[in-house]
Amino acid sequence: MNHLTLASISNAAYFLGLELSTDQLRAAVVDVNLTVLGYETVDFDTELHYGTRGGLFSTPGDAYTTPVDMWVKAMDMLFNKLGERFDLGKVKAIGGSAQPATVWLTPDSAKKLATLESDNSLAAQIPPTFFSLLHTPVAQDTSTLPQTVALQAALGGPDAMASRVGIAAHPSLPAVQCMKVREGNPDAWVKTGRVMMASTFLSSLLAGKWCNISEAEAIGTGLWNAQHGQWDAAALEVVAGGAEHGQRFRGVLGDVETAGGRSIATVSQYWVERYGFEKDALIVSFTSESLAQYLSVCPAQDETVLSFGPQDSLMIPVTQYIPSRLYRLYPHPAQDPSEKKKYIAILTSRNGDAARTLVRDMYTKSWTAFDRLVSVIPPGGSIGLDDKLFSFFVLHNESPTSHSIRKGIYRIETGHKVTEFRDLRANPRCLVESQVLSFRVQYARLMSLPLFGGKEMVKQKNMSMSLLAYRMGVCFDPYDKDLCPSRIIAIGSAANFPSIVALIGDVFNAPVFVPTGAPIQSANSPNPMKLEHSPTRGTNPSSPENLGPHTPSPSRCNAALGGAYTARWAWRRHAKPDEKFGSFEEEITGLLKKKWMLPAMFGAGGGSNGLGGSTPGFGLGLSNSTVGYPQPKRSGLASSVYSTHEPEHTLSPQQETIMFRPGMNGGLLTPPIPGMLPQTGLTGLGLGMSQHNHSAGNLNNQLSAAGMPIMPIGRARTPTTSSQATNSTILSQLSTNSINTVSTAQTSPGGSKVTTPTSSTKPLNVSVNPLPTGEEDSQKGLCKVAEADWDAFMVYASIVPEFCRLEGMLVKGC
């Protein structure tokens, strides 16, 4: 042990993870102990001049595409950045993921990949003729509703289709998009030699040949029959327009890699000569972006992952393959063939970041004010139990159950549809509540299925509920806490809001954890001077590399990190094929825990001592005042009240003022003023006055002095005239120029890039504050940010029946 140093341990190998998201190409580099050495990104809008917004082009009719050659240029730029910071010759394996988009290649593309010359960049050697379709449809595309209905009907309906190919039809399903290409662009269809997913395209660029698609990605196409382990002949026939054409299309799709997470190739000579990679550096099967995010946090069997983004996702580990129209079921992307098969059930919502950004632009103009309004407004938008408010933002068509819902913004007050709430301040909270409640309802329905084998948590009993709840369409007991996950891991930009993570804990009655920032770098980390001159270093105080080792960081490059973890896992199996290994989660968790022992062994301090203590900083120098907002105290109704002491970087009252926007709000809204929020009083509602703070009259005087309109606090009517802008007007603006109006690219705070296309004031970052966290969770890189609250859970349970009734009315078009 005397001859062993931390540098020599981490000096052996690097592992690279790639992530092709909608707006950026990202990379994460880790060492053998999974210590994060650094991140790199290429932003499509600012660094590549294609004129995209959020990495996309939009056209009338809800069609969204992206230029594929832009990804090629981004690969050149990303690896140039990586080469400046890291010795790429130490990279032993590469994993990765990408957004669910298709790439259409000509037959000559295979030969071109194999003959790339290291003297030139990829972009210089891959001409437009390399692709049969230059602008490919992406997950945001919803212009394929006719093809969605046709495919689903041809396969016997949504339930029959899900039983065949593991997924029901939806507008952005690759199978549906392929149908549209065949019908609308027959020339591209005929010229195509290979159709692959974007993740497979990245691995093909690295391997210098066409790679096979992973099974998880194949199921996501809607063309793979997992039960028979082959492409589904009936689905191929429908998509290709006939049995004979279906056989040809099966060859165009190629073979499927059914062994999850294994090495599929080594890097081509191009990468060896141009960037100095080892010639035997492994390429691990790439997967989808959402599954890579799941791998980055290694959830246990009783944990659920909630990912916020352009498309929100709730990911649940399950043990049985029981496909259904109600969810999407994927095989675990990193499991040994000797293991019993594991699966991941995913519930999705297409109306994620776009809806939250729209509400921010309409009502608050800043994420800080948005967070405060979600925090201070009582559950359900009102104090009374019989006067709850509900809102449903359907900006994009969804399937399988809601593609028949007409797009629109629906608000319900006292049981009736309204154009606008009487109290405009309720809009942010009601939106977030509807998004989280929708996941809770779907999760409870999923729990009634035998997806979890013989686990005790499965509820297969006659659930006690009132006749009223039954008649409202609730098929589960909303008061049963066993129908909720025991723990939730939240990731994504919206998980930076203290109010949102608290609301998640209230709705699900479960503690909420988020990933922490990059662990302390090893002694063999890249040169600090190079890090300081990196284009992504120091641009954002919440970027992953600027965070402490235990700072909550739900917006870190999760999918890229998941790819790096998969590369590390697959490399060990390739290096020692005869050795017996545990599961992916067991091995990665073991490495993360082992890493904590190394600093203590070499006298670097910071081992496991001081963790799990009673102080929020874990004994690591973190205080409540150093990480974003103070965590609000919890109350009986789980609403929070902020401290009167705001961070030094708070907005001015003028910036916090919600501007009068004729034709949009039709009135004025008064957000909380920094330093004027009460700390005690009606703490359950976040609306009371402190005995030692401000009186109601004093508060109104200060509001008036600050130049802000005076209005009562509570369920009083907001002084508005009429909502001059109807839902159709708002949606018309979104449809014609939605990307210019609402950018879904890192629009929530905490990301590496925050854009406000409709606001001249750049929003300040909002970040959660750590709560006391157990040692085992800290070693896994998790930090608790919200507790369960039984009283708040019961309040939301009482809201669930009405929520389900209203949602059912919208599905029926009422």
Side-chain angles (χ1 to χ4, degrees):
M1 184 63 68
N2 293 335
H3 301 286
L4 191 62
T5 65
L6 184 60
S8 64
I9 291 177
S10 60
N11 190 50
Y14 290 170
F15 300 92
L16 176 62
L18 302 178
E19 174 193 359
L20 176 60
S21 67
T22 304
D23 61 321
Q24 291 180 335
L25 178 63
R26 307 183 182 107
V29 182
V30 303
D31 64 12
V32 291
N33 299 314
L34 302 185
T35 299
V36 178
L37 304 179
Y39 298 97
E40 276 294 353
T41 63
V42 174
D43 187 84
F44 298 149
D45 293 352
T46 60
E47 298 184 65
L48 299 174
H49 306 291
Y50 278 79
T52 58
R53 291 297 181 92
L56 304 176
F57 291 132
S58 62
T59 58
D62 294 327
Y64 292 86
T65 62
T66 190
V68 186
D69 59 329
M70 178 177 70
W71 298 344
V72 178
K73 291 185 178 180
M75 284 284 283
D76 286 328
M77 187 174 295
L78 180 69
F79 277 88
N80 286 336
K81 292 181 178 182
L82 290 171
E84 293 176 358
R85 294 183 55 190
F86 304 99
D87 180 2
L88 297 181
K90 295 181 180 179
V91 174
K92 302 298 182 183
I94 306 173
S97 62
Q99 57 178 300
T102 53
V103 179
W104 299 67
L105 305 177
T106 60
D108 296 336
S109 60
K111 180 179 179 181
K112 191 64 180 176
L113 283 174
T115 57
L116 292 173
E117 299 177 354
S118 60
D119 295 337
N120 295 317
S121 65
L122 288 175
Q125 301 180 73
I126 297 182
T129 55
F130 188 89
F131 307 101
S132 56
L133 190 66
L134 274 175
H135 290 184
T136 186
V138 293
Q140 287 77 5
D141 181 76
T142 56
S143 63
T144 57
L145 193 57
Q147 291 80 12
T148 303
V149 175
L151 176 62
Q152 195 163 261
L155 294 180
D159 294 313
M161 179 177 176
S163 65
R164 290 184 68 98
V165 296
I167 190 171
H170 57 84
S172 59
L173 189 71
V176 171
Q177 293 176 339
C178 289
M179 285 184 66
K180 183 180 178 182
V181 171
R182 175 178 62 83
E183 296 171 359
N185 195 343
D187 185 55
W189 179 269
V190 172
K191 292 181 180 180
T192 299
R194 174 60 63 94
V195 175
M196 59 178 61
M197 299 301 291
S199 60
T200 311
F201 175 63
L202 287 189
S203 60
S204 299
L205 288 178
L206 294 169
K209 63 178 182 180
W210 288 347
C211 291
N212 295 332
I213 187 175
S214 66
E215 186 178 22
E217 285 279 69
I219 288 181
T221 64
L223 297 168
W224 178 256
N225 191 316
Q227 294 177 324
H228 295 87
Q230 62 185 15
W231 294 109
D232 189 83
L236 292 174
E237 181 178 342
V238 175
V239 171
E244 183 178 349
H245 296 295
Q247 286 295 324
R248 176 190 174 274
F249 190 51
R250 187 254 174 264
V252 170
L253 293 173
D255 296 328
V256 175
E257 193 65 49
T258 56
R262 81 173 185 92
S263 170
I264 57 174
T266 58
V267 295
S268 68
Q269 194 64 23
Y270 172 84
W271 300 93
V272 174
E273 296 177 358
R274 186 171 179 85
Y275 294 104
F277 281 92
E278 287 187 352
K279 62 180 181 180
D280 57 350
L282 305 177
I283 299 174
V284 180
S285 183
F286 283 29
T287 188
S288 68
E289 187 177 13
S290 59
L291 292 179
Q293 292 175 343
Y294 176 92
L295 296 177
S296 71
V297 294
C298 295
Q301 194 63 31
D302 61 342
E303 294 177 333
T304 296
V305 180
L306 179 54
S307 173
F308 291 103
Q311 179 173 279
D312 294 342
S313 301
L314 188 71
M315 295 175 276
I316 309 107
V318 297
T319 59
Q320 306 296 319
Y321 183 78
I322 305 175
S324 170
R325 63 180 291 184
L326 301 177
Y327 50 83
R328 305 175 188 180
L329 197 59
Y330 300 92
H332 194 290
Q335 57 183 330
D336 195 89
S338 61
E339 294 181 61
K340 182 181 178 181
K341 272 246 178 182
K342 298 180 295 185
Y343 302 91
I344 302 170
I346 301 183
L347 307 171
T348 61
S349 170
R350 304 178 65 85
N351 300 288
D353 276 349
R356 289 186 288 269
T357 304
L358 177 62
V359 169
R360 179 206 63 178
D361 290 341
M362 291 174 63
Y363 299 102
T364 68
K365 302 300 290 181
S366 78
W367 287 118
T368 307
F370 182 98
D371 181 63
R372 288 195 177 110
L373 286 179
V374 174
S375 175
V376 301
I377 297 298
S382 67
I383 299 175
L385 294 178
D386 299 324
D387 190 21
K388 296 302 181 184
L389 313 179
F390 300 87
S391 66
F392 299 86
F393 277 64
V394 185
L395 308 182
H396 300 285
N397 293 118
E398 288 197 60
S399 288
T401 58
S402 62
H403 69 264
S404 59
I405 295 182
R406 184 179 58 191
K407 289 197 305 180
I409 300 174
Y410 305 93
R411 299 180 181 87
I412 294 92
E413 187 168 6
T414 63
H416 301 283
K417 286 184 180 180
V418 295
T419 305
E420 182 56 89
F421 293 137
R422 288 177 294 171
D423 188 348
L424 300 184
R425 295 172 297 182
N427 278 279
R429 184 175 185 97
C430 288
L431 167 67
V432 177
E433 282 183 343
S434 69
Q435 293 176 329
V436 179
L437 277 172
S438 177
F439 278 133
R440 194 216 154 170
V441 170
Q442 294 179 71
Y443 182 89
R445 290 169 178 165
L446 182 146
M447 287 293 293
S448 65
L449 302 174
L451 286 168
F452 303 90
K455 292 181 67 67
E456 296 180 357
M457 61 189 297
V458 181
K459 307 295 289 185
Q460 295 182 354
K461 63 180 182 179
N462 295 326
M463 302 176 185
S464 59
M465 63 183 72
S466 65
L467 178 62
L468 177 62
Y470 175 79
R471 294 183 63 181
M472 286 182 176
V474 181
C475 59
F476 60 92
D477 183 1
Y479 295 92
D480 190 346
K481 64 180 179 61
D482 292 332
L483 292 178
C484 294
S486 60
R487 292 154 54 99
I488 293 179
I489 302 174
I491 58 178
S493 298
N496 284 280
F497 289 99
S499 59
I500 289 182
V501 294
L503 193 149
I504 295 170
D506 296 342
V507 171
F508 284 96
N509 191 41
V512 181
F513 296 79
V514 299
T516 55
I520 300 173
Q521 295 185 349
S522 67
N524 198 49
S525 297
N527 190 324
M529 293 301 295
K530 291 186 177 181
L531 293 179
E532 291 300 328
H533 290 86
S534 171
T536 60
R537 178 70 171 180
T539 57
N540 189 338
S542 293
S543 64
E545 292 183 19
N546 290 336
L547 295 172
H550 308 288
T551 304
S553 178
S555 306
R556 69 180 188 181
C557 300
N558 291 291
L561 199 58
Y565 286 178
T566 307
R568 170 65 175 86
W569 178 81
W571 170 77
R572 187 183 177 194
R573 276 161 171 69
H574 184 271
K576 299 179 180 180
D578 299 329
E579 187 173 335
K580 186 174 180 60
F581 301 95
S583 66
F584 174 85
E585 284 79 10
E586 291 172 347
E587 183 169 340
I588 297 301
T589 300
L591 287 170
L592 291 172
K593 291 181 178 179
K594 180 181 177 182
K595 177 175 57 182
W596 278 70
M597 303 303 298
L598 293 176
M601 290 167 57
F602 301 114
S608 59
N609 295 330
L611 292 172
S614 60
T615 59
F618 314 111
L620 293 163
L622 297 178
S623 65
N624 285 344
S625 62
T626 59
V627 189
Y629 276 178
Q631 182 72 12
K633 296 181 179 180
R634 308 305 302 279
S635 67
L637 288 179
S639 291
S640 53
V641 180
Y642 284 100
S643 168
T644 56
H645 300 288
E646 287 288 329
E648 294 181 359
H649 54 263
T650 51
L651 296 176
S652 66
Q654 290 74 19
Q655 291 172 320
E656 288 279 31
T657 303
I658 296 187
M659 305 301 294
F660 178 74
R661 301 179 68 187
M664 187 65 73
N665 294 345
L668 294 170
L669 172 63
T670 306
I673 299 296
M676 296 184 184
L677 284 175
Q679 189 165 0
T680 59
L682 295 177
T683 56
L685 303 174
L687 300 174
M689 302 307 299
S690 170
Q691 297 177 357
H692 58 275
N693 202 337
H694 305 287
S695 65
N698 187 26
L699 178 60
N700 282 339
N701 292 336
Q702 296 187 53
L703 287 172
S704 179
M708 304 203 56
I710 302 174
M711 59 186 298
I713 297 178
R715 285 290 294 119
R717 181 182 298 272
T718 304
T720 61
T721 54
S722 63
S723 298
Q724 301 175 13
T726 63
N727 291 342
S728 59
T729 304
I730 297 173
L731 290 171
S732 175
Q733 296 172 355
L734 286 174
S735 177
T736 56
N737 198 13
S738 59
I739 296 299
N740 289 326
T741 305
V742 180
S743 172
T744 60
Q746 295 292 341
T747 50
S748 296
S752 58
K753 170 176 173 276
V754 182
T755 58
T756 53
T758 62
S759 174
S760 59
T761 302
K762 184 176 180 179
L764 298 177
N765 287 327
V766 181
S767 56
V768 291
N769 203 43
L771 296 178
T773 306
E775 181 175 346
E776 184 175 355
D777 292 321
S778 298
Q779 291 177 358
K780 288 174 60 178
L782 297 177
C783 173
K784 184 187 291 187
V785 293
E787 292 279 10
D789 190 306
W790 176 254
D791 292 333
F793 171 74
M794 297 299 285
V795 171
Y796 281 112
S798 68
I799 295 175
V800 165
E802 179 67 4
F803 176 85
C804 293
R805 184 185 73 85
L806 296 173
E807 189 177 47
M809 289 176 54
L810 295 178
V811 170
K812 296 176 183 178
C814 299

